[in-house]
Amino acid sequence: MSDTAEKVKKIVVEHLGVEESKVTTEASFIDDLGADSLDTVELVMAFEEAFGVEIPDDAAEKITTVKDAIDYIEKQKSA
Amino acid sequence: MFGHLAAPRRVVVTGMGIACPLGLGVENVWKRMLAGESGLAAIQSFDVSNLPAKIAGQVPLGTKAEGKLDINEWIPVKDQKKMDRFIQLALVAAQEAVEDSGWMPGEDQEEARCRTGVMIGSGIGGLPTIYEASLLIAQGKQRRISPFFIPSALINLASGHVSIKYGFKGPNHAVVTACATGVHALGDAARLIALGDADVMVAGGAEAAVAEIGMAGFCASRALSTAFNDAPTKGSRPWDKDRDGFVMGEGAGVVVLEELEHAKARGAKIYAEVIGYGMSGDAYHITAPTEDGDGAFRAMRAALRSAGLAPSDIQYVNAHGTSTPMGDDLELQAVERLWGDEASRLAMSSTKSAIGHLLGAAGAVEGIFSILAIRDSVAPPTLNLESPSRESPIDRVALEAQPRKIDIALSNSFGFGGTNASIIFKKAA
């Protein structure tokens, strides 16, 4: 697992209060991990803070799974 | 508007819950109060070096088993950040009250859930949460404001969270009348039941303003005691000649109010009946009561009228009695005026002497103390009343609890803005 993936999963575990085993790469924040729309807004803010990236609202709306978050952040970091 | 009613319905108390500076749990808190213990202490949880008032009543930290608060035992960590502390305390007290009442209709009891409402108020709500958000804005970090900021700070979210937790789908309401909030919440919720809007109401008040911003604000309005920073348990001393302001407290009081026949039909334990409720406004000053205490007098008189009682029918008054130089005497004067020749038979104490002033939670917590005074035939003490600033025919239950026959008790709460409320409880028949 990449450093980014590990860090993303750790943030998800902390913010949504879910067990680590449930936070698979494919997991959807809302459908699989019990988040609501406000939780996802907060999650994106936590990603921004942790990775020092800016995620504009239109991009944030498309981040619905753990994989979406990892991909977006890795793309930003390599850009 | 109320044409569907033959007569107002009777309302009883079937559950109670408290989180306050004497701890968690109605029985635990009451036992400590009757023993003359104090919940006031020097503030340790934040820096008070720049504040003239350095003492307060905070809910003690510890385990549930010790009658103290470890919030992780009550609310999942991930949910804690979604609610200011006043909401957390409301949830703690509501859980005790709801479980005590035994009224927890399940998902298959939709009609029962729709007939159960919530009315928990607060004087100032999520003040510390607003402070934290303001700091981010001052640093240019507007985008770092949490999506939970607004719902964490809003006063009616205490009622919101309680309704979500238990599935109570009836009237969902919140009172905001400063330090009169608790009594207004109990009285207004009782009226919703009496008038048929609900059969059961979870009602009360919650406050958590013991933070730098709350302390600084009340210090600025010159309301807090500053002379007892070295002797915190002596700071709240209603009617005593050395009193110099109130000591701020935090906490929540929640009761389950229920229509009498509804409670009887399910065999619920009935603590007391709510038989009277009265309100008034001073129309005078933003923080000071009128110089003749007339607002307090009219609120108590209105409560007696609604109950169809004479002053002599009341055996105990739980006073607003905050320990401010002016307020205490004016309330005493109002009670003396209303009771007249009967004053010498009355007991009146201020339980704020033990827990401080819980602002919007005060009236709810003190309503519970009034009900317990009826249940156990005992008047809780006014601590630190060593030398009254003036004499009175009224027994103010100085220093020690007093066994007394109490069938009917009245509780007062008065708030900034000139808002006054009194509520009357009677022993369950």
Side-chain angles (χ1 to χ4, degrees), chain A residues 15-17 38-39 42 45 48-49 54-55, chain B residues 77-78 81-82 143-148 151:
Chain A
H15 281 260
L16 299 183
L38 293 183
D39 289 320
E42 202 207 22
M45 285 171 58
E48 288 183 319
E49 188 103 334
E54 282 240 353
I55 307 178
Chain B
V77 174
K78 78 173 173 76
K81 62 184 179 225
K82 301 178 182 176
R143 294 194 67 245
R144 295 260 76 88
I145 300 277
S146 163
F148 302 115

Side-chain angles (χ1 to χ4, degrees), chain A residues 23-35:
Chain A
V23 187
T24 59
T25 308
E26 289 73 31
S28 154
F29 301 131
I30 291 179
D31 296 336
D32 302 318
L33 301 176

